[in-house]
Amino acid sequence: MTVSWNLVGILVVFISAAACHVKVGGDDVLGYGYRIQSVAAGADGAGLDAKLTLLRETQKYGPDLHNLDLTVCLLLHDPKTMFPKNDGAEGGPEGNQIHLNPYQTFLGRSGFWPRTFHGSTYLQLGYEFLQYKSAFRYEMPTRLRVKITDLDRPRWEIPQDVIPRGTHNNSTSGNGILRLPGVGAPPPENGRFWDPDSDLVFRYTSNPFNFAITRRSSGETLFNTCSDTSSDPDGPFTGIVFKDQFLSISSSLPTGTSTSSIYGLGEHTLRSFRLEETDSLTLWNADIPSSAVGLNLYGSHPFYIDLRAPSGRAHGVLLFNSNGMDILYRPSQITYKIDGGIFDFYFFAGDTPGAVVQQYTQLVGRPAPMPYWSFGFHQCRYGYKNVEDLEGVVAGYANAGIPLEAMWTDIDYMDQFKDFTLDPVNFPAEKLKPFVDRLHQNGQKYVMIVDPGISVNESYGPYIRGQEADIYIKWNGKPYLGQVWPGPVNFPDFMNPAALPYWEREIQQFHDVIPFDGLWIDMNEVSNFCSGLSCTLPSAGPCPQPGDQDVCCLICDNSNSTIYDDPPYRINIAGSRLPLGLRTVAASAVHYGNVLEYNAHDLYGLTEASATKIALANVIQKRPFVLSRSTFLSSGVHAAHWTGDNSATWDDLAYSIPAILSFGLFGLPMVGADICGFSGDTTEELCNRWIQLGAFYPFSRNHASIGSKRHELYLWQSVTESAKKALGLRYRLLPYYYTLMYKAHVTGTPIARPLFFSFPNDTNTHGVDTQLLIGKGLMVTPVLQQGKTNVDAYFPAGTWFSMFDLNARLVVPKGTKITLDAPIDTVNVHVCAGNILPMQEVAATTAKARATPFTLLVALGSNTGAQGELFLDDGEQLEMGEGDNWTFVQFSGGLHGNVVNLASRVQNGTYALGQRWLIETVVFVGLEYGSECKYLNVTSGGNPLDVSEVLVVMEAKYGNGVAEITGLSLLVGQSFELTITFI
């Protein structure tokens, strides 16, 4: 028989590996696990498949599934072209290029063929090919996928059209199976699978089946299902438990000299950014206020980063599953308990925290670009009375000299809280539209709230059109009836293809009346004031009763509860293991395509955000701004997020930092918390400190609840001063923020980051969650405690400069805590040496700020260089960096003896040249004390410039030299070089 080999660059070597000796026994065993019956290589050679068979059945939470399918895959070399070296084995002549169809069937014989591809040795050891069906799959070399599902029947998986995974393709055209070492022989007890281009290794033991993911470069174990589950509250188990409505898997974590810090697994309000080893985390989207510590909140993100000490290496773990789950984090292990779906793990190699997030967002999707105006300051309140109230707020900010970019209105503007309507008395179109027009004339914006529930009202156009389009979630064949603010409602099913044109039509018609600039989608977990399967309208009386808007008025029947409404395993909803349908859509309700709410519940906010983004973009023909409360994996592709209904407390102020940092990891970089607190009455001091932090949130909005005391920033003189100071710096940094948005959009890197993103090898940063970085080196240290006028700040090693006093320099040879003065009007913000910040002037709006000249702040340390970037476009075109209307500039500078230099490299400079943007000022900090300028040379586009009118002012305090160069007229769109020689 002629031997044919699939030459896709995969190395599969089965050799001895350490066996797992964890055994279980007794009457309370949850699962005895599985064994590998056969091992298969994918038809393309780029994966591993195995059949798992149950060892012994248990009945707790239902019977076990008997046969499972395991798939492991990586992306390696191009499968269509390989260059094998002729080593005497069968194959083409030396140097021949071999073209392969990746879907082709390859049949072969057992044997031993070492081959060298591109200098790497590949081994095939004693395998025999038999016929089988396989998926054609490729992953990236920085990630590895382990998927375990039912072999005998299909199970729920997140659809590709909800979250596309572009680098993963499916085909069932391949045939062949690989058994070890010969036909019918059992697989080896232990094995491993890897590729030379990847640092990730998959190891397994076959009986009972366990697997581990290790790092090839260091041997470090990243994930290992050989875990001691003897103390599991549901009973011990081996390997994996896979029942129809209960799946469980556990991984051990390092102990001893190597430690593990876990971040992510949201959404929860937690007291620390780093997860604590007693955390039990439930994922099931719910309308629970973010002031509730430790409970499941609005979003679900089964993704975490594991940062190891002392190495500073990081990796990521994603469970690609939308079902409800509990995740138990304990000192030596992490355990998943899931009520359905499959195990679909993605492991990201990192090995820096930033690289992990880039790899993760490469899979689920890069964050959506946000319009430039969205980086301004926003004002909202639930409880604005009328248009005159809105006008007074806008005037209050203008009179106080506080920047205000956008006014928002909550459900107050609606007619009886119905979407796409206006209160005819308090917010009539004839008053509201002129108000919005005046905002636009001032360069300001207007954002309106929309809830998903459509009022059941036969005279209400959106309801009638929804019926005609048949786009509502169903229960027992009829639209599911719930209740939200307008009373009885039906919920659009955004998994239905007909929902998008329906939603776009409603947005278009409403926009024709009020030309809003952005949409705020709330209550989309989905929230429901009733808990029932089959609900009907009451026979008499209003529904709801006046004053009881959030009290269920429907008559609900739960007698037909199914295994989906009350599954065998109850996840810990609201900390009390409450029913899945509590104050949301019934789990047995049905979406388009016969998809159960039980499986798709956590996808609702995501699918609504996707539809809203597309619809709004089509309506306004500009870059859309959508703010969503409910989120899931990949929500950042479509929307921004705020942390929901916090409270006006000092604790909630502190909690906002871990929350914002977590969403940066989840791929939602445009995130913020309600400044001064949503619920309850704030205080002058608390609002002072909150705007000092909130001014630097990526999304900066003041918002309050109805019934609470008003806290617009101009209402206290001291808060006004704090706001002008903190927001003044934010507005100067708008070019920096917008460039970070561009980097987030193209790489996934967050805007707001934990300190360990820039300093992973400093293990002291691993637990810092009272400070944050904006970008690589701008550190914000807020006051988070009442009555404090100083603050303890952790400074990693480096040279740091205060952004409010550039003469104030801190030289930190080794990371240390330093107590900083923090008067009531001051927040500490420092830039680290090595960074160049593009800045503009303060103005009332982002549009006016964009028209001011640029300043470059160059922070230098001892014999170190500095780098910075600047991205420019019109701030509203649909995409960033596409077409010709953009410019990207890279800055570099350095101090070499008595010479300091600064240069730029420009890509696509024509756009910036057309806008006539100028750099008029350059500031160098970190110069030698007492330096004086001797020579100044400037070239632009390779041509020397006249510097006779340029002024160089030297200042020296506290041992730090500062040089301010003014009077420049450097075109941003043209490369330049500036050099100063000092004496």
Side-chain angles (χ1 to χ4, degrees), residues 807-890:
N807 288 291
R809 178 177 66 172
L810 291 170
V811 180
V812 183
K814 181 181 179 181
T816 187
K817 279 190 176 181
I818 298 174
T819 300
L820 303 172
D821 289 335
I824 191 62
D825 67 340
T826 299
V827 60
N828 281 278
V829 183
H830 291 81
V831 62
C832 187
N835 290 274
I836 299 175
L837 304 182
M839 305 171 71
Q840 286 177 285
E841 298 303 313
V842 183
T845 65
T846 62
K848 293 176 181 177
R850 278 169 62 87
T852 64
F854 281 87
T855 294
L856 298 181
L857 174 60
V858 184
L860 299 172
S862 178
N863 297 317
T864 63
Q867 291 80 40
E869 295 172 327
L870 174 63
F871 178 83
L872 297 165
D873 63 7
D874 67 2
E876 61 181 20
Q877 64 188 33
L878 286 173
E879 263 298 339
M880 298 182 87
E882 292 189 1
D884 297 323
N885 295 325
W886 59 273
T887 294
F888 183 65
V889 186
Q890 294 172 298

Side-chain angles (χ1 to χ4, degrees), residues 254-287:
T255 58
T257 57
S258 177
T259 61
S260 174
S261 293
I262 303 292
Y263 311 87
L265 300 175
E267 177 183 12
H268 308 88
T269 295
L270 299 174
R271 292 181 171 86
S272 64
F273 178 45
R274 178 167 56 187
L275 299 185
E276 297 179 352
E277 294 175 334
T278 55
D279 284 335
S280 296
L281 307 167
T282 298
L283 273 58
W284 180 258
N285 294 357
D287 181 2

Side-chain angles (χ1 to χ4, degrees), residues 72-127:
V72 184
C73 46
L74 284 161
L75 173 70
L76 304 163
H77 303 288
D78 181 352
K80 297 180 181 179
T81 305
M82 297 301 298
F83 299 89
K85 177 183 177 181
N86 185 355
D87 51 19
E90 296 184 49
E94 183 172 359
N96 280 8
Q97 181 173 338
I98 299 179
H99 298 275
L100 300 173
N101 180 348
Y103 302 103
Q104 184 179 346
T105 298
F106 289 93
L107 300 177
R109 66 179 184 182
S110 61
F112 177 89
W113 286 269
R115 289 194 178 273
T116 301
F117 298 153
H118 298 297
S120 299
T121 300
Y122 289 72
L123 304 178
Q124 304 272 1
L125 302 177
Y127 300 172

Side-chain angles (χ1 to χ4, degrees), residues 135-154:
F136 169 58
R137 58 200 173 271
Y138 293 99
E139 298 301 334
M140 302 301 292
T142 52
R143 72 174 179 248
L144 185 149
R145 184 185 189 190
V146 177
K147 178 180 175 182
I148 304 173
T149 188
D150 189 356
L151 183 66
D152 299 323
R153 60 188 60 84

